[in-house]
Amino acid sequence: MKRRGEFDLIAQVFAPLAIGAPGAFALGDDAATVATAPGHELVVTTDAMVRGVHFDQRTAPADVGRKLLRVNLSDLAAKGAEPLAYVLTTAWSPDVTQEWIEGFASGLKEDQAAFGIHLVGGDTVAAPTDLILSVTIFGQVPSGTMIRRAGARAGDDIYVSGTVGDACLGLQVAEGTLALPPEHEKALRERLDCPTPRVELGRALRGVAHAAIDVSDGLLGDLDHVCEQSHLGADVRLGQVPLSVSARLALAKVPGEDKRMLTFGDDYELLFTAAAADRARIDQIAATTGVPVTRIGVMRPGQGVRVLDAAGVELRFETLGYRHF
Amino acid sequence: MKRRGEFDLIAQVFAPLAIGAPGAFALGDDAATVATAPGHELVVTTDAMVRGVHFDQRTAPADVGRKLLRVNLSDLAAKGAEPLAYVLTTAWSPDVTQEWIEGFASGLKEDQAAFGIHLVGGDTVAAPTDLILSVTIFGQVPSGTMIRRAGARAGDDIYVSGTVGDACLGLQVAEGTLALPPEHEKALRERLDCPTPRVELGRALRGVAHAAIDVSDGLLGDLDHVCEQSHLGADVRLGQVPLSVSARLALAKVPGEDKRMLTFGDDYELLFTAAAADRARIDQIAATTGVPVTRIGVMRPGQGVRVLDAAGVELRFETLGYRHF
């Protein structure tokens, strides 16, 4: 392996990411301390990325670092939590170079600054074959205000932030199976490689949203999680699901792709429910945070997700979302 | 793969491990909350295990689960922290069976009960080839009392708990390169497969130990970490390092193996320093917790670890401890 030893790697590449976090002890100890503000509680979530599953050789190492933080930040966003710090576990395969690791760390550094968080600890091990990167991230909410998956009520509006399906199309661009004008290809690729966690929106939704989840495994699959946890069903209007200009262009070339876009995932938008009486408040939050929010359906008694076309006819889906296995 | 899908696996095998932890939300959410007692601060540490590096096909899956928790508990012990909860990230290779996963979970369950902790969250992904298991564990200490690696003072006594080198010999037994009477082979194997985290001892050492670390990468290498962080050197008397009866028996067959036993690691004993004036107090703590503690050397000005024989002559070591790469 043309790379530094374990302790040099920690000292030279990762310890700089802990500067500014007193509880990290410059990564010179076995443990870190993580403090929450008075009256707040700690929110913990963890997400791993595997080469060949969540990214591949095409993905720039800095983008892998940024996406690893962003998928974890997206989970905090869905809870309405303010990000604080994270620990990082890296299992390096023998072929991973020093250059790749430094690129990866540069992506972490960039997004630490963007989202106001620090690395406070971790573990770095050698793996025989695979490259696996795992983050456990810490955030805080005023005690008792964490937004849950459970909590949706019958009659709630269902909203999603931003646009859905861009990452699905971005992968097709990356794989060379979808060709669009360069600016649209770039836009879709960026949505795949560098999603935008809706941290500010999530915080603003505390006390308003009844339930929330981030769209990682597919809009319908993630909505189904909300249904299960809230013991309700959901009706979604396909025509109301927000699509980007690039996605609409792609859809004109590949009709029917919208069904896949609803189940692919990797969108990292917030899917949430709120009382119909709070529509003006939701509009206000969207305006204040600068994040577009679209009403796409309604929670109902029963179970399961139904997708309806413009005529109100239910569409059939073979799968609602991505499963790792 | 002859095993259940991702969501069934979580619901049926892992969710039962979250029963009793209100902040886990039965693993039905994206995040968990972790609470500390008033006046306490949260201590976080993380350790991963890789098949082919930290365990192999010989290791029973329940033992892998127990060891994964125990190596993390050992890090908390070295900080003087009381264990609270943990999150688990699993990357399963295609060959891992449902039976193996259930065995692994049974080991987690057993040690959750033994150490009073719960699973509160995690991530489970598919890996192309490797099997990698990672825990981030949470503990608490009264604010400001966490024992650090930094903090040793010149003139401090150096202590280690239990005995050193058993896991090193246990691996040789497992690999068939060391033969001993069955009861000794069993004892050494158990020390390798199921180490004892010194949680009670660690808690009792708060306010007494100036510095502590758990012996995971080798007694000398870990002592060297304390030296680096405390800006001191250390002298260790080889003849004072505590060995088990089984280890002494092995040493009679393989003279010179004691040098390797000091650098192999996987002991998960506590290595700590304390003022010479506190010797009676340390003896009292050892008696109260029922954990043998042995004085093996002294911290001194300077840097680096020196190992001295009975005549005070320095012994040469090619390496002080295990490095992952």
Side-chain angles (χ1 to χ4, degrees), chain A residues 44-318:
Chain A
V44 179
T45 181
T46 184
D47 250 331
M49 285 173 50
V50 180
R51 184 178 58 192
V53 181
H54 303 87
F55 65 96
D56 60 25
Q57 302 286 7
R58 277 188 300 258
T59 323
D63 282 342
V64 175
R66 298 180 75 189
K67 187 163 181 177
L68 181 62
L69 286 185
R70 285 165 180 246
V71 301
N72 279 280
L73 286 161
S74 181
D75 276 324
L76 284 186
K79 306 294 102 189
E82 173 192 355
L84 294 172
Y86 69 102
V87 296
L88 171 69
T89 297
T90 55
W92 309 111
S93 53
D95 60 302
V96 176
T97 62
Q98 178 73 20
E99 188 184 11
W100 198 96
I101 295 173
E102 288 178 4
F104 168 73
S106 76
L108 296 176
K109 184 179 180 182
E110 187 176 343
D111 273 358
Q112 286 192 187
F115 295 96
I117 55 175
H118 288 96
L119 177 67
V120 295
D123 192 17
T124 180
V125 295
T129 307
D130 292 337
L131 169 57
I132 301 182
L133 307 160
S134 173
V135 157
T136 298
I137 197 165
F138 309 104
Q140 65 180 8
V141 290
S143 296
T145 68
M146 190 180 98
I147 309 172
R148 302 271 321 275
R149 288 183 183 180
R153 302 173 200 170
D156 271 4
D157 292 322
I158 303 168
Y159 296 88
V160 69
S161 65
T163 57
V164 172
D166 298 316
C168 173
L169 298 167
L171 182 63
Q172 295 177 41
V173 169
E175 289 177 340
T177 58
L178 174 67
L180 292 172
E183 67 273 26
H184 294 288
E185 291 195 349
K186 185 166 178 286
L188 295 172
R189 284 289 307 259
E190 279 180 2
R191 290 276 290 163
L192 174 71
D193 292 336
C194 196
T196 303
R198 303 299 192 181
V199 176
E200 286 309 313
L201 175 63
R203 290 174 67 178
L205 288 172
R206 283 197 311 246
V208 186
H210 291 159
I213 193 169
D214 71 318
V215 182
S216 54
D217 292 341
L219 179 74
L220 303 184
D222 287 316
L223 181 54
D224 198 43
H225 293 318
V226 172
C227 288
E228 277 177 30
Q229 292 292 322
S230 299
H231 306 292
L232 290 172
D235 285 349
V236 171
R237 292 281 178 170
L238 180 64
Q240 290 177 16
V241 175
L243 303 180
S244 68
V245 175
S246 302
R248 289 189 185 281
L249 198 68
L251 213 52
K253 295 186 69 165
V254 196
E257 190 62 14
D258 50 347
K259 286 178 82 169
R260 199 151 87 93
M261 289 159 59
L262 265 58
T263 58
F264 178 85
D266 249 7
D267 298 300
Y268 301 103
E269 296 294 350
L270 290 195
L271 179 69
F272 61 96
T273 83
D278 277 326
R279 283 181 191 174
R281 217 169 145 195
I282 298 293
D283 288 345
Q284 182 61 44
I285 287 169
T288 308
T289 58
V291 180
V293 162
T294 307
R295 190 152 42 86
I296 61 168
V298 64
M299 299 300 295
R300 56 168 171 77
Q303 57 181 12
V305 176
R306 291 193 303 221
V307 182
L308 309 174
D309 69 11
V313 176
E314 187 178 351
L315 301 167
R316 293 261 153 232
F317 282 78
E318 284 181 20

Side-chain angles (χ1 to χ4, degrees), chain A residues 1 3-9 25 27-35 41-54 75-76 78-79 87-89 91-93 120-132 134-136 138 141 146-150 212-214 216-217 225 229 322-325, chain B residues 1 3-9 25 27-35 41-54 75-76 78-79 87-89 91-93 120-132 134-136 138 141 146-150 212-214 216-217 225 229 322-325:
Chain A
M1 288 176 290
R3 64 185 192 221
R4 292 180 184 137
E6 176 186 1
F7 299 125
D8 282 349
L9 197 64
F25 308 112
L27 307 190
D29 214 301
D30 296 300
T33 58
V34 176
E41 65 184 333
L42 190 83
V43 177
V44 179
T45 181
T46 184
D47 250 331
M49 285 173 50
V50 180
R51 184 178 58 192
V53 181
H54 303 87
D75 276 324
L76 284 186
K79 306 294 102 189
V87 296
L88 171 69
T89 297
W92 309 111
S93 53
V120 295
D123 192 17
T124 180
V125 295
T129 307
D130 292 337
L131 169 57
I132 301 182
S134 173
V135 157
T136 298
F138 309 104
V141 290
M146 190 180 98
I147 309 172
R148 302 271 321 275
R149 288 183 183 180
I213 193 169
D214 71 318
S216 54
D217 292 341
H225 293 318
Q229 292 292 322
Y322 180 80
R323 287 170 182 245
H324 284 95
F325 48 83
Chain B
M1 289 175 287
R3 64 185 192 222
R4 292 180 184 138
E6 177 185 0
F7 299 125
D8 283 348
L9 197 64
F25 308 112
L27 307 190
D29 214 301
D30 296 301
T33 58
V34 176
E41 65 185 332
L42 190 82
V43 176
V44 179
T45 181
T46 185
D47 250 331
M49 284 172 50
V50 180
R51 184 178 58 191
V53 180
H54 302 86
D75 276 324
L76 285 186
K79 306 293 102 187
V87 296
L88 171 69
T89 298
W92 309 110
S93 53
V120 295
D123 192 17
T124 179
V125 296
T129 307
D130 292 337
L131 169 58
I132 301 181
S134 173
V135 157
T136 298
F138 308 105
V141 290
M146 190 179 98
I147 309 172
R148 302 272 320 276
R149 288 184 183 178
I213 193 169
D214 72 317
S216 54
D217 292 342
H225 293 319
Q229 293 292 322
Y322 181 81
R323 286 170 182 244
H324 284 94
F325 47 84

